Amino acid sequence: MTAVEHRRLMSQPSPANPKPDQPGVHESARRDKLRKIIRMGIDPWGSRFDQRTHIGDIRARAGEIKFRSEAGQYLEIPDVDGQPDLDFRQWLQQQGPGQLEGPAVRAAGRIVLQRKAGKLRFVDIQDWTGKIQLFIGKQQVGDADFELAENFDLGDIVGVDGQLWRTKTGELTILAEKLHFFCKSIEPPPEKHHGLQDPELRQRMRYLDLTYSDGVLQRFLQRTRIVQSIRQTLAQAGFCEIEGPTLHTIAGGAAARPFLTHHNALDMPLFMRIALELHLKRLLVGGIERVYELGRVYRNEGISPRHNPEFTMLEVYQAFGNYETMMDLTERIITDAIDAIGGGYQLPYGDQQIDFTPPFARKTYDQLFQESTGVAPDDHVGVREYAQRLGLEIANRHPDVIKNEVFEHQVEDRLQGPVFVIDYPASICPLTKRKADQPQIAERFELFIHGMEIANAYTELNDPDLQEELFKTQLDGMPEEDSMARMDHDFIRALRHGMPPAGGLGIGIDRLVMLLTNSPTIRDVILFPLMRPESSSAKS
RNA sequence: GAGGUUGUAGCUCAGUCGGUAGAGCAACGGACUUUUAAUCCGUAGGUCCUGGGUUCGAGUCCCAGCAACCUCACCA
């Protein structure tokens, strides 16, 4: 980046305050209430609140609510939530005089819905485990707290001490005895029936999407569980997590264009990493026999429903393993992750169903090629003609590269899977060891699910001379940005010191999460996907 | 990078043939101590994405730009 570009970037107006002009009706109404709360002697920005129970746990105690008759006898109440036809109001009348008694509870959450009925207010609050209704009666909480409740707005964060209880309609409710106030929301929330619909706003204002869109918070919590499960599976298998550098002097390990950045003090260009591979293999050389990194990589490529410029990648290396070791591990990582989020191995994806029951199918590259195209994979002329019919670029290209173009166009999209595609042509896999008895075949697999490449694994090449030669061949044949790898002399030097034979595996975490959470785009599983800045001409 | 679609109140959306800018939710005032998207009466709220053009007159038609989404390409 030039100094001029840098200054331009730094001087861009912040989008945080797009409307410095007069506050609108909503903001002034909310600021009025804010002032009233302060006048009541209450800190509108709250403080520590101990001994609170999560709403989900409170709801689980519904069974403890009893009916206490005037004679002092306790009576079980019917399962209101389990019987939608039950008229709870009628049931209460039949019991004669008495009242409901439930456990004392303390909750806090954001106000997502309010209903006012004279000297009575119903307020639905929500925390990250669920939602519950508060019954706030002037008589029950007293004048001061009721005045506080009159200054509640949708979006405020409040707390309550009260009794777990049911209203006459049977709704599980906290009968408020004491109110607390934690935060005033100055901005109004989205529309209460539809929430945020505009995908642009949902991504820019993810905090609103998380709070007000059904299933969004759950989906991101599931992502966390999946990642935790992966770490746990690898830890149990004896793998060691490390953190490699994200700033590289050579962007290697994958075929992708890197982001370029600059170190000022060293006055040196740097690349954001495009893969984890080469540093992890250096650690195999260093004796870390089972090693992995689960972290962000950056690729300066296009954006699509399946691509974000930064995404999360898992790479695993196991000394004395091979690609078959990695296949078993991949299956375990994925099935453990599914166990971690529950719901079984039949997962819906869009209008389809994906069966993750292990073992996943294993088919050779050539076998799938033949099945799908009807052309013999070693028939160079036939493959070339087939590629021509598809309109693919074939001039001056290696027969295996042409074959792979055909494979990517005709086979990959149709692999509903999960299916391990195994035994790739060696010429398109420069970092892969060949089969001992079939040197034209690389010991590699890719896992396809729903037409998406989810995992990629090799028996790693540890012959330094062959590795260097293959790097060179790759670099010779193509313009630099097309090449499968860039020459990394230090990596070759590491190999010359001796790397044990090993299996290596890469898994695209975002795509795996997409499949396991039934998310149609990668942006649905990335909290803050890359977006252009909001300009002054943009809406909102 | 190419093509298509969309952009109107805080949010969700209408807006006919080019002729005074609309609704619901949210907000404000009022009624209501068992509401469930509470209800009822009343009030306020607009850079129609931005900039040009055509026209007596543009939310609407034309051109350019911005942003998002979809498809394709690069890529995983």
Side-chain angles (χ1 to χ4, degrees):
Chain A
M1 194 189 312
T2 66
V4 174
E5 279 170 342
H6 188 257
R7 260 200 307 277
R8 194 189 308 140
L9 197 65
M10 299 312 277
S11 66
Q12 272 182 356
S14 158
N17 189 12
K19 292 176 302 175
D21 28 44
Q22 304 164 348
V25 284
H26 295 89
E27 181 174 341
S28 23
R30 283 159 182 264
R31 287 195 185 276
D32 282 349
K33 293 183 193 167
L34 176 66
R35 279 187 287 271
K36 284 185 197 158
I37 290 168
I38 293 170
R39 235 177 283 136
M40 291 176 71
I42 294 166
D43 176 3
W45 307 110
S47 57
R48 179 168 168 169
F49 193 54
D50 291 331
Q51 268 103 47
R52 142 181 101 101
T53 307
H54 279 126
I55 290 167
D57 296 332
I58 290 175
R59 299 196 72 96
R61 298 183 66 182
E64 296 175 38
I65 304 169
K66 304 279 188 280
F67 180 84
R68 186 177 186 273
S69 71
E70 231 171 17
Q73 281 179 320
Y74 285 94
L75 195 65
E76 293 284 333
I77 63 171
D79 173 21
V80 185
D81 302 320
Q83 302 175 59
D85 297 336
L86 180 87
D87 189 337
F88 189 64
R89 196 187 304 257
Q90 206 174 26
W91 183 88
L92 276 176
Q93 274 167 4
Q94 285 164 0
Q95 307 317 309
Q99 60 191 358
L100 291 175
E101 282 184 13
V105 292
R106 160 172 275 202
R110 191 182 291 277
I111 298 175
V112 291
L113 223 49
Q114 280 201 102
R115 291 170 293 281
K116 305 165 195 180
K119 295 177 176 58
L120 198 60
R121 298 173 83 96
F122 297 92
V123 174
D124 291 359
I125 63 168
Q126 172 180 295
D127 70 15
W128 69 340
T129 64
K131 237 182 255 187
I132 196 161
Q133 173 175 270
L134 311 184
F135 178 106
I136 303 171
K138 191 167 188 171
Q139 217 173 68
Q140 288 81 355
V141 297
D143 291 352
D145 270 10
F146 196 75
E147 190 189 342
L148 174 61
E150 283 176 325
N151 290 298
F152 282 177
D153 280 304
L154 293 177
D156 291 355
I157 299 171
V158 302
V160 65
D161 287 304
Q163 188 188 163
L164 190 58
W165 192 64
R166 284 188 189 275
T167 60
K168 281 178 184 165
T169 56
E171 173 90 9
L172 191 63
T173 297
I174 297 173
L175 177 61
E177 285 153 16
K178 174 88 193 98
L179 297 178
H180 306 267
F181 198 83
F182 299 115
C183 186
K184 194 70 189 161
S185 172
I186 301 300
E187 295 279 349
E191 211 264 358
K192 71 180 177 188
H193 322 309
H194 308 90
L196 275 191
Q197 292 294 324
D198 184 343
E200 178 173 356
L201 290 182
R202 291 181 61 179
Q203 291 168 38
R204 286 197 198 280
M205 302 208 254
R206 188 65 92 186
Y207 40 91
L208 293 182
D209 197 30
L210 285 163
T211 307
Y212 296 102
S213 303
D214 279 346
V216 173
L217 175 62
Q218 283 313 311
R219 192 198 310 137
F220 283 105
L221 294 179
Q222 281 194 332
R223 179 178 175 131
T224 299
R225 271 182 222 117
I226 290 166
V227 170
Q228 279 171 346
S229 159
I230 292 170
R231 288 203 159 97
Q232 200 180 331
T233 302
L234 287 166
Q236 277 166 359
F239 285 87
C240 172
E241 179 171 14
I242 64 94
E243 289 153 284
T246 56
L247 296 173
H248 287 189
T249 51
I250 296 170
R257 306 231 291 270
F259 283 94
L260 183 61
T261 184
H262 184 260
H263 190 284
N264 288 342
L266 299 179
D267 189 20
M268 178 175 81
L270 286 169
F271 299 103
M272 306 295 290
R273 68 179 174 190
I274 58 171
L276 314 172
E277 176 154 5
L278 300 185
H279 288 88
L280 287 168
K281 284 186 181 168
R282 284 171 169 91
L283 297 176
L284 278 183
V285 173
I288 306 182
E289 294 187 11
R290 295 190 180 197
V291 65
Y292 77 96
E293 178 162 8
L294 201 167
R296 208 71 62 85
V297 297
Y298 306 86
R299 297 191 181 177
N300 207 338
E301 307 281 355
I303 295 174
S304 87
R306 272 166 286 285
H307 300 84
N308 193 61
E310 52 179 317
F311 64 102
T312 302
M313 182 88 161
L314 167 70
E315 288 198 30
V316 186
Y317 294 86
Q318 178 174 346
F320 307 108
N322 70 358
Y323 76 134
E324 283 168 326
T325 323
M326 293 295 108
M327 237 182 295
D328 298 337
L329 182 63
T330 303
E331 221 167 71
R332 200 151 88 247
I333 286 171
I334 293 175
T335 50
D336 282 358
I338 294 171
D339 291 342
I341 58 173
Y345 293 140
Q346 302 286 334
L347 293 183
Y349 193 75
D351 50 7
Q352 304 199 14
Q353 192 92 6
I354 303 175
D355 182 1
F356 285 91
T357 310
F360 302 162
R362 301 180 181 194
K363 292 193 165 188
T364 70
Y365 182 95
D366 280 353
Q367 183 187 348
L368 286 163
F369 187 93
Q370 172 103 42
E371 279 174 18
S372 190
T373 64
V375 180
D378 48 3
D379 173 7
H380 291 340
V381 178
V383 170
R384 176 177 280 265
E385 280 169 1
Y386 195 92
Q388 222 152 13
R389 281 204 296 281
L390 291 173
L392 299 174
E393 183 64 47
I394 57 167
N396 299 321
R397 301 191 101 165
H398 188 282
D400 283 343
V401 174
I402 296 171
K403 181 159 80 173
N404 198 47
E405 288 275 312
V406 173
F407 191 87
E408 284 175 5
H409 275 82
Q410 292 299 105
V411 186
E412 290 188 353
D413 294 353
R414 300 173 194 173
L415 295 174
Q416 285 306 303
V419 55
F420 288 111
V421 179
I422 60 174
D423 295 351
Y424 279 66
S427 50
I428 59 168
C429 313
L431 295 162
T432 313
K433 186 172 279 191
R434 285 100 189 277
K435 271 190 161 7
D437 53 344
Q438 288 172 280
Q440 77 282 9
I441 299 292
E443 292 199 342
R444 172 190 188 187
F445 76 77
E446 291 194 303
L447 174 64
F448 281 87
I449 307 174
H450 198 79
M452 272 197 292
E453 185 195 329
I454 296 300
N456 186 9
Y458 307 139
T459 301
E460 301 295 343
L461 188 61
N462 61 345
D463 174 342
D465 296 335
L466 182 56
Q467 176 71 85
E468 185 168 17
E469 188 191 313
L470 290 171
F471 265 149
K472 275 183 184 151
T473 317
Q474 288 290 326
L475 291 169
D476 284 347
M478 328 182 175
E480 206 202 336
E481 66 252 30
D482 287 351
S483 74
M484 288 293 283
R486 286 161 194 85
M487 182 59 76
D488 184 337
H489 292 287
D490 176 71
F491 174 65
I492 299 292
R493 181 171 62 186
L495 286 189
R496 288 161 66 95
H497 283 278
M499 185 181 90
L505 164 68
I507 295 181
I509 298 300
D510 311 270
R511 288 183 174 182
L512 180 63
V513 174
M514 281 171 70
L515 289 170
L516 300 190
T517 60
N518 192 11
S519 303
T521 84
I522 201 167
R523 288 185 291 274
D524 294 323
V525 298
I526 293 176
L527 282 166
F528 300 103
L530 183 75
M531 301 191 87
R532 289 183 163 91
E534 287 178 86
S535 70
S536 53
S537 61
K539 63 176 172 175
S540 86

PDB file of all heavy atoms in Angstrom, chain A residues 8 27 51 112 150 168 199 207 254 271 276 279 311 320 339 360 370 373 402 411 417 432 440 502:
ATOM      1  N   ARG A   8      -5.722   7.814   2.473  1.00  0.00           N
ATOM      2  CA  ARG A   8      -7.100   7.853   2.005  1.00  0.00           C
ATOM      3  C   ARG A   8      -7.963   6.901   2.841  1.00  0.00           C
ATOM      4  O   ARG A   8      -9.058   7.224   3.267  1.00  0.00           O
ATOM      5  CB  ARG A   8      -7.156   7.457   0.524  1.00  0.00           C
ATOM      6  CG  ARG A   8      -8.491   7.807  -0.125  1.00  0.00           C
ATOM      7  CD  ARG A   8      -8.578   7.216  -1.514  1.00  0.00           C
ATOM      8  NE  ARG A   8      -7.428   7.545  -2.335  1.00  0.00           N
ATOM      9  CZ  ARG A   8      -6.849   6.689  -3.173  1.00  0.00           C
ATOM     10  NH1 ARG A   8      -7.295   5.462  -3.262  1.00  0.00           N
ATOM     11  NH2 ARG A   8      -5.828   7.055  -3.907  1.00  0.00           N
ATOM     12  N   GLU A  27     -35.545   8.143  18.861  1.00  0.00           N
ATOM     13  CA  GLU A  27     -34.424   8.442  19.738  1.00  0.00           C
ATOM     14  C   GLU A  27     -34.825   9.446  20.819  1.00  0.00           C
ATOM     15  O   GLU A  27     -34.494   9.264  21.994  1.00  0.00           O
ATOM     16  CB  GLU A  27     -33.234   8.975  18.927  1.00  0.00           C
ATOM     17  CG  GLU A  27     -32.053   9.275  19.824  1.00  0.00           C
ATOM     18  CD  GLU A  27     -30.806   9.658  19.052  1.00  0.00           C
ATOM     19  OE1 GLU A  27     -30.729   9.363  17.841  1.00  0.00           O
ATOM     20  OE2 GLU A  27     -29.917  10.267  19.678  1.00  0.00           O
ATOM     21  N   GLN A  51     -26.145 -14.176  40.953  1.00  0.00           N
ATOM     22  CA  GLN A  51     -27.171 -15.189  41.262  1.00  0.00           C
ATOM     23  C   GLN A  51     -28.356 -15.176  40.310  1.00  0.00           C
ATOM     24  O   GLN A  51     -29.476 -15.478  40.692  1.00  0.00           O
ATOM     25  CB  GLN A  51     -27.696 -15.014  42.693  1.00  0.00           C
ATOM     26  CG  GLN A  51     -26.938 -15.836  43.705  1.00  0.00           C
ATOM     27  CD  GLN A  51     -25.971 -14.970  44.487  1.00  0.00           C
ATOM     28  OE1 GLN A  51     -26.341 -13.910  44.957  1.00  0.00           O
ATOM     29  NE2 GLN A  51     -24.734 -15.420  44.595  1.00  0.00           N
ATOM     30  N   VAL A 112     -37.977  -7.989  24.349  1.00  0.00           N
ATOM     31  CA  VAL A 112     -38.250  -8.214  22.939  1.00  0.00           C
ATOM     32  C   VAL A 112     -39.714  -7.971  22.572  1.00  0.00           C
ATOM     33  O   VAL A 112     -40.051  -7.898  21.393  1.00  0.00           O
ATOM     34  CB  VAL A 112     -37.810  -9.630  22.501  1.00  0.00           C
ATOM     35  CG1 VAL A 112     -36.291  -9.734  22.523  1.00  0.00           C
ATOM     36  CG2 VAL A 112     -38.429 -10.706  23.376  1.00  0.00           C
ATOM     37  N   GLU A 150     -42.738   1.703  33.263  1.00  0.00           N
ATOM     38  CA  GLU A 150     -43.361   2.587  32.270  1.00  0.00           C
ATOM     39  C   GLU A 150     -42.322   3.250  31.379  1.00  0.00           C
ATOM     40  O   GLU A 150     -42.645   3.775  30.331  1.00  0.00           O
ATOM     41  CB  GLU A 150     -44.212   3.651  32.981  1.00  0.00           C
ATOM     42  CG  GLU A 150     -45.523   3.069  33.460  1.00  0.00           C
ATOM     43  CD  GLU A 150     -46.342   4.079  34.247  1.00  0.00           C
ATOM     44  OE1 GLU A 150     -45.765   4.907  34.980  1.00  0.00           O
ATOM     45  OE2 GLU A 150     -47.573   4.038  34.143  1.00  0.00           O
ATOM     46  N   LYS A 168     -53.445 -16.850  33.933  1.00  0.00           N
ATOM     47  CA  LYS A 168     -54.701 -17.594  33.781  1.00  0.00           C
ATOM     48  C   LYS A 168     -54.760 -18.348  32.461  1.00  0.00           C
ATOM     49  O   LYS A 168     -55.498 -19.326  32.334  1.00  0.00           O
ATOM     50  CB  LYS A 168     -55.892 -16.623  33.874  1.00  0.00           C
ATOM     51  CG  LYS A 168     -56.210 -16.268  35.305  1.00  0.00           C
ATOM     52  CD  LYS A 168     -57.352 -15.286  35.402  1.00  0.00           C
ATOM     53  CE  LYS A 168     -57.573 -14.880  36.864  1.00  0.00           C
ATOM     54  NZ  LYS A 168     -58.425 -13.682  36.965  1.00  0.00           N
ATOM     55  N   PRO A 199     -30.784  -8.763   3.688  1.00  0.00           N
ATOM     56  CA  PRO A 199     -29.548  -9.491   4.000  1.00  0.00           C
ATOM     57  C   PRO A 199     -28.368  -8.557   4.265  1.00  0.00           C
ATOM     58  O   PRO A 199     -27.482  -8.888   5.037  1.00  0.00           O
ATOM     59  CB  PRO A 199     -29.305 -10.352   2.763  1.00  0.00           C
ATOM     60  CG  PRO A 199     -30.167  -9.794   1.701  1.00  0.00           C
ATOM     61  CD  PRO A 199     -31.313  -9.107   2.372  1.00  0.00           C
ATOM     62  N   TYR A 207     -25.452  -7.988  15.268  1.00  0.00           N
ATOM     63  CA  TYR A 207     -25.972  -8.004  16.641  1.00  0.00           C
ATOM     64  C   TYR A 207     -27.491  -8.025  16.647  1.00  0.00           C
ATOM     65  O   TYR A 207     -28.107  -8.666  17.502  1.00  0.00           O
ATOM     66  CB  TYR A 207     -25.436  -6.799  17.430  1.00  0.00           C
ATOM     67  CG  TYR A 207     -25.378  -5.515  16.627  1.00  0.00           C
ATOM     68  CD1 TYR A 207     -26.445  -4.628  16.616  1.00  0.00           C
ATOM     69  CD2 TYR A 207     -24.272  -5.217  15.856  1.00  0.00           C
ATOM     70  CE1 TYR A 207     -26.400  -3.462  15.872  1.00  0.00           C
ATOM     71  CE2 TYR A 207     -24.218  -4.048  15.102  1.00  0.00           C
ATOM     72  CZ  TYR A 207     -25.288  -3.178  15.102  1.00  0.00           C
ATOM     73  OH  TYR A 207     -25.247  -2.039  14.350  1.00  0.00           O
ATOM     74  N   ALA A 254      -0.849 -23.493  -1.349  1.00  0.00           N
ATOM     75  CA  ALA A 254      -2.126 -23.613  -2.047  1.00  0.00           C
ATOM     76  C   ALA A 254      -2.054 -22.798  -3.327  1.00  0.00           C
ATOM     77  O   ALA A 254      -1.156 -21.980  -3.512  1.00  0.00           O
ATOM     78  CB  ALA A 254      -3.276 -23.110  -1.175  1.00  0.00           C
ATOM     79  N   PHE A 271       2.899 -11.241   2.822  1.00  0.00           N
ATOM     80  CA  PHE A 271       1.652 -11.827   2.349  1.00  0.00           C
ATOM     81  C   PHE A 271       0.867 -12.368   3.533  1.00  0.00           C
ATOM     82  O   PHE A 271       1.443 -12.929   4.464  1.00  0.00           O
ATOM     83  CB  PHE A 271       1.937 -12.988   1.389  1.00  0.00           C
ATOM     84  CG  PHE A 271       2.696 -12.572   0.164  1.00  0.00           C
ATOM     85  CD1 PHE A 271       4.062 -12.829   0.047  1.00  0.00           C
ATOM     86  CD2 PHE A 271       2.052 -11.919  -0.870  1.00  0.00           C
ATOM     87  CE1 PHE A 271       4.759 -12.450  -1.080  1.00  0.00           C
ATOM     88  CE2 PHE A 271       2.749 -11.537  -2.010  1.00  0.00           C
ATOM     89  CZ  PHE A 271       4.102 -11.799  -2.121  1.00  0.00           C
ATOM     90  N   LEU A 276      -1.947 -23.352   5.675  1.00  0.00           N
ATOM     91  CA  LEU A 276      -1.219 -23.606   6.915  1.00  0.00           C
ATOM     92  C   LEU A 276      -0.094 -24.609   6.705  1.00  0.00           C
ATOM     93  O   LEU A 276       0.778 -24.782   7.554  1.00  0.00           O
ATOM     94  CB  LEU A 276      -2.196 -24.162   7.965  1.00  0.00           C
ATOM     95  CG  LEU A 276      -3.520 -23.406   8.077  1.00  0.00           C
ATOM     96  CD1 LEU A 276      -4.481 -24.161   8.990  1.00  0.00           C
ATOM     97  CD2 LEU A 276      -3.276 -22.008   8.613  1.00  0.00           C
ATOM     98  N   HIS A 279       4.258 -24.566   7.171  1.00  0.00           N
ATOM     99  CA  HIS A 279       4.801 -24.435   8.526  1.00  0.00           C
ATOM    100  C   HIS A 279       4.494 -25.646   9.377  1.00  0.00           C
ATOM    101  O   HIS A 279       5.307 -26.044  10.219  1.00  0.00           O
ATOM    102  CB  HIS A 279       4.297 -23.141   9.177  1.00  0.00           C
ATOM    103  CG  HIS A 279       4.929 -21.914   8.587  1.00  0.00           C
ATOM    104  ND1 HIS A 279       4.402 -21.280   7.487  1.00  0.00           N
ATOM    105  CD2 HIS A 279       6.078 -21.261   8.901  1.00  0.00           C
ATOM    106  CE1 HIS A 279       5.183 -20.265   7.164  1.00  0.00           C
ATOM    107  NE2 HIS A 279       6.209 -20.233   8.001  1.00  0.00           N
ATOM    108  N   PHE A 311     -11.293 -17.197   5.636  1.00  0.00           N
ATOM    109  CA  PHE A 311     -12.103 -18.329   6.074  1.00  0.00           C
ATOM    110  C   PHE A 311     -11.279 -19.217   6.988  1.00  0.00           C
ATOM    111  O   PHE A 311     -10.070 -19.035   7.134  1.00  0.00           O
ATOM    112  CB  PHE A 311     -12.671 -19.099   4.885  1.00  0.00           C
ATOM    113  CG  PHE A 311     -11.636 -19.749   3.997  1.00  0.00           C
ATOM    114  CD1 PHE A 311     -11.378 -21.107   4.093  1.00  0.00           C
ATOM    115  CD2 PHE A 311     -10.932 -19.007   3.069  1.00  0.00           C
ATOM    116  CE1 PHE A 311     -10.442 -21.710   3.268  1.00  0.00           C
ATOM    117  CE2 PHE A 311      -9.986 -19.604   2.249  1.00  0.00           C
ATOM    118  CZ  PHE A 311      -9.742 -20.955   2.341  1.00  0.00           C
ATOM    119  N   PHE A 320       4.057 -40.843  10.266  1.00  0.00           N
ATOM    120  CA  PHE A 320       3.888 -42.289  10.057  1.00  0.00           C
ATOM    121  C   PHE A 320       2.464 -42.661   9.676  1.00  0.00           C
ATOM    122  O   PHE A 320       2.104 -43.836   9.695  1.00  0.00           O
ATOM    123  CB  PHE A 320       4.368 -43.092  11.293  1.00  0.00           C
ATOM    124  CG  PHE A 320       5.773 -42.719  11.700  1.00  0.00           C
ATOM    125  CD1 PHE A 320       5.999 -41.977  12.859  1.00  0.00           C
ATOM    126  CD2 PHE A 320       6.851 -43.035  10.899  1.00  0.00           C
ATOM    127  CE1 PHE A 320       7.277 -41.586  13.213  1.00  0.00           C
ATOM    128  CE2 PHE A 320       8.133 -42.658  11.254  1.00  0.00           C
ATOM    129  CZ  PHE A 320       8.354 -41.932  12.411  1.00  0.00           C
ATOM    130  N   ASP A 339     -22.354 -35.507  16.407  1.00  0.00           N
ATOM    131  CA  ASP A 339     -22.789 -35.920  17.748  1.00  0.00           C
ATOM    132  C   ASP A 339     -22.854 -34.719  18.681  1.00  0.00           C
ATOM    133  O   ASP A 339     -23.754 -34.606  19.518  1.00  0.00           O
ATOM    134  CB  ASP A 339     -21.810 -36.958  18.328  1.00  0.00           C
ATOM    135  CG  ASP A 339     -21.894 -38.289  17.587  1.00  0.00           C
ATOM    136  OD1 ASP A 339     -22.903 -38.520  16.883  1.00  0.00           O
ATOM    137  OD2 ASP A 339     -20.946 -39.090  17.705  1.00  0.00           O
ATOM    138  N   PHE A 360     -18.231 -43.425   5.195  1.00  0.00           N
ATOM    139  CA  PHE A 360     -18.553 -42.713   3.961  1.00  0.00           C
ATOM    140  C   PHE A 360     -18.028 -43.524   2.777  1.00  0.00           C
ATOM    141  O   PHE A 360     -17.044 -44.248   2.895  1.00  0.00           O
ATOM    142  CB  PHE A 360     -17.891 -41.327   3.938  1.00  0.00           C
ATOM    143  CG  PHE A 360     -18.262 -40.437   5.090  1.00  0.00           C
ATOM    144  CD1 PHE A 360     -17.482 -39.327   5.409  1.00  0.00           C
ATOM    145  CD2 PHE A 360     -19.401 -40.680   5.867  1.00  0.00           C
ATOM    146  CE1 PHE A 360     -17.818 -38.494   6.474  1.00  0.00           C
ATOM    147  CE2 PHE A 360     -19.745 -39.860   6.938  1.00  0.00           C
ATOM    148  CZ  PHE A 360     -18.938 -38.767   7.243  1.00  0.00           C
ATOM    149  N   GLN A 370     -15.030 -42.273 -15.210  1.00  0.00           N
ATOM    150  CA  GLN A 370     -15.609 -43.179 -16.200  1.00  0.00           C
ATOM    151  C   GLN A 370     -17.138 -43.234 -16.070  1.00  0.00           C
ATOM    152  O   GLN A 370     -17.864 -43.113 -17.050  1.00  0.00           O
ATOM    153  CB  GLN A 370     -15.010 -44.577 -16.011  1.00  0.00           C
ATOM    154  CG  GLN A 370     -15.661 -45.673 -16.848  1.00  0.00           C
ATOM    155  CD  GLN A 370     -14.822 -46.056 -18.050  1.00  0.00           C
ATOM    156  OE1 GLN A 370     -13.597 -46.179 -17.937  1.00  0.00           O
ATOM    157  NE2 GLN A 370     -15.447 -46.242 -19.194  1.00  0.00           N
ATOM    158  N   THR A 373     -18.630 -39.706 -17.266  1.00  0.00           N
ATOM    159  CA  THR A 373     -18.432 -39.223 -18.636  1.00  0.00           C
ATOM    160  C   THR A 373     -18.558 -40.333 -19.665  1.00  0.00           C
ATOM    161  O   THR A 373     -18.770 -40.060 -20.853  1.00  0.00           O
ATOM    162  CB  THR A 373     -17.031 -38.604 -18.797  1.00  0.00           C
ATOM    163  OG1 THR A 373     -16.050 -39.628 -18.582  1.00  0.00           O
ATOM    164  CG2 THR A 373     -16.805 -37.482 -17.797  1.00  0.00           C
ATOM    165  N   ILE A 402      -6.193 -31.467 -18.365  1.00  0.00           N
ATOM    166  CA  ILE A 402      -7.449 -31.462 -19.127  1.00  0.00           C
ATOM    167  C   ILE A 402      -8.459 -32.404 -18.479  1.00  0.00           C
ATOM    168  O   ILE A 402      -9.623 -32.048 -18.272  1.00  0.00           O
ATOM    169  CB  ILE A 402      -7.183 -31.889 -20.594  1.00  0.00           C
ATOM    170  CG1 ILE A 402      -6.279 -30.852 -21.272  1.00  0.00           C
ATOM    171  CG2 ILE A 402      -8.504 -32.036 -21.337  1.00  0.00           C
ATOM    172  CD1 ILE A 402      -5.790 -31.287 -22.630  1.00  0.00           C
ATOM    173  N   VAL A 411     -18.038 -33.932 -12.761  1.00  0.00           N
ATOM    174  CA  VAL A 411     -18.183 -34.909 -11.693  1.00  0.00           C
ATOM    175  C   VAL A 411     -18.450 -34.248 -10.344  1.00  0.00           C
ATOM    176  O   VAL A 411     -19.430 -34.564  -9.660  1.00  0.00           O
ATOM    177  CB  VAL A 411     -16.927 -35.809 -11.605  1.00  0.00           C
ATOM    178  CG1 VAL A 411     -17.156 -36.923 -10.583  1.00  0.00           C
ATOM    179  CG2 VAL A 411     -16.589 -36.411 -12.969  1.00  0.00           C
ATOM    180  N   GLY A 417     -22.668 -37.220  -2.004  1.00  0.00           N
ATOM    181  CA  GLY A 417     -21.844 -37.700  -0.917  1.00  0.00           C
ATOM    182  C   GLY A 417     -22.584 -37.945   0.373  1.00  0.00           C
ATOM    183  O   GLY A 417     -23.781 -38.097   0.353  1.00  0.00           O
ATOM    184  N   THR A 432       2.178 -34.376  -3.115  1.00  0.00           N
ATOM    185  CA  THR A 432       1.654 -35.671  -2.718  1.00  0.00           C
ATOM    186  C   THR A 432       2.586 -36.809  -3.101  1.00  0.00           C
ATOM    187  O   THR A 432       3.190 -36.787  -4.172  1.00  0.00           O
ATOM    188  CB  THR A 432       0.289 -35.894  -3.409  1.00  0.00           C
ATOM    189  OG1 THR A 432      -0.500 -34.738  -3.266  1.00  0.00           O
ATOM    190  CG2 THR A 432      -0.424 -37.082  -2.818  1.00  0.00           C
ATOM    191  N   GLN A 440       2.006 -43.047 -11.374  1.00  0.00           N
ATOM    192  CA  GLN A 440       1.186 -41.999 -11.989  1.00  0.00           C
ATOM    193  C   GLN A 440      -0.012 -41.624 -11.105  1.00  0.00           C
ATOM    194  O   GLN A 440      -0.759 -40.707 -11.416  1.00  0.00           O
ATOM    195  CB  GLN A 440       0.716 -42.437 -13.394  1.00  0.00           C
ATOM    196  CG  GLN A 440      -0.425 -43.423 -13.442  1.00  0.00           C
ATOM    197  CD  GLN A 440       0.013 -44.880 -13.146  1.00  0.00           C
ATOM    198  OE1 GLN A 440       1.147 -45.147 -12.738  1.00  0.00           O
ATOM    199  NE2 GLN A 440      -0.895 -45.817 -13.330  1.00  0.00           N
ATOM    200  N   ALA A 502       4.180 -39.095   6.313  1.00  0.00           N
ATOM    201  CA  ALA A 502       3.060 -38.548   7.085  1.00  0.00           C
ATOM    202  C   ALA A 502       1.812 -38.450   6.240  1.00  0.00           C
ATOM    203  O   ALA A 502       1.872 -38.347   5.015  1.00  0.00           O
ATOM    204  CB  ALA A 502       3.428 -37.163   7.627  1.00  0.00           C
TER     205      ALA A 502
END
